[in-house]
Amino acid sequence: MSVDPPPTPGPALPPPSADAPGALVVAQIGEIAVTSTLVRTPAGDLPLAGSTWHVTEEWQPEQRTPTWAVVAAIVGFCVLPVLSLLFLKVRTTVYRGTAQVVVTNGPRQYVARVPVNGQARMRQLHQQVNYARSLAAL
């Protein structure tokens, strides 16, 4: 039975700086990642200080037949075939949208389109952008 000696500690690694690739992301807006000093985009990094942010909402209504109406039409088809087909005429409106988030710093600009499926997600997106704005103002 052999006992291994405890491992010797190696040199301590320095903490990651704010500009390091592994810097802590404080906000994620679509494909835009915001750290304490940088805005990381697929097209490259922008400095967070002095950046401007804009959000544009685009909503599109979509007409759908609800699931309960399809089920009622199928079940009712066995009892009253002609009248049960009227359930298929029931429509509900569902709003789908995208938010266009534009971040600009000097001559550089990046535009991200973020799909949203309701007002709650849009509010969350606005809160994230407002947080990024507050960090950019520091």
Side-chain angles (χ1 to χ4, degrees):
M1 173 191 239
S2 67
V3 175
D4 295 331
T8 58
L13 296 174
S17 68
D19 296 330
L24 181 65
V25 174
V26 294
Q28 184 77 35
I29 304 165
E31 64 265 12
I32 300 173
V34 180
T35 67
S36 59
T37 59
L38 290 175
V39 178
R40 298 192 184 279
T41 69
D45 295 345
L46 301 169
L48 178 61
S51 62
T52 57
W53 297 77
H54 300 282
V55 179
T56 306
E57 299 178 17
E58 301 169 6
W59 292 98
Q60 295 177 345
E62 181 180 309
Q63 296 287 328
R64 299 182 128 189
T65 302
T67 306
W68 66 265
V70 174
V71 171
I74 292 171
V75 171
F77 192 75
C78 298
V79 180
L80 296 169
V82 176
L83 294 178
S84 66
L85 293 178
L86 292 176
F87 282 112
L88 297 178
K89 302 229 8 128
V90 174
R91 297 282 185 209
T92 58
T93 303
V94 177
Y95 290 95
R96 303 228 182 262
T98 58
Q100 182 175 335
V101 179
V102 180
V103 59
T104 306
N105 195 328
R108 298 183 62 199
Q109 174 176 323
Y110 185 78
V111 179
R113 292 187 181 271
V114 182
V116 292
N117 56 2
Q119 286 294 330
R121 175 67 179 118
M122 187 62 78
R123 275 192 301 276
Q124 180 187 21
L125 185 70
H126 277 284
Q127 289 172 349
Q128 288 175 323
V129 170
N130 287 335
Y131 180 62
R133 283 180 184 142
S134 69
L135 291 175
L138 295 178

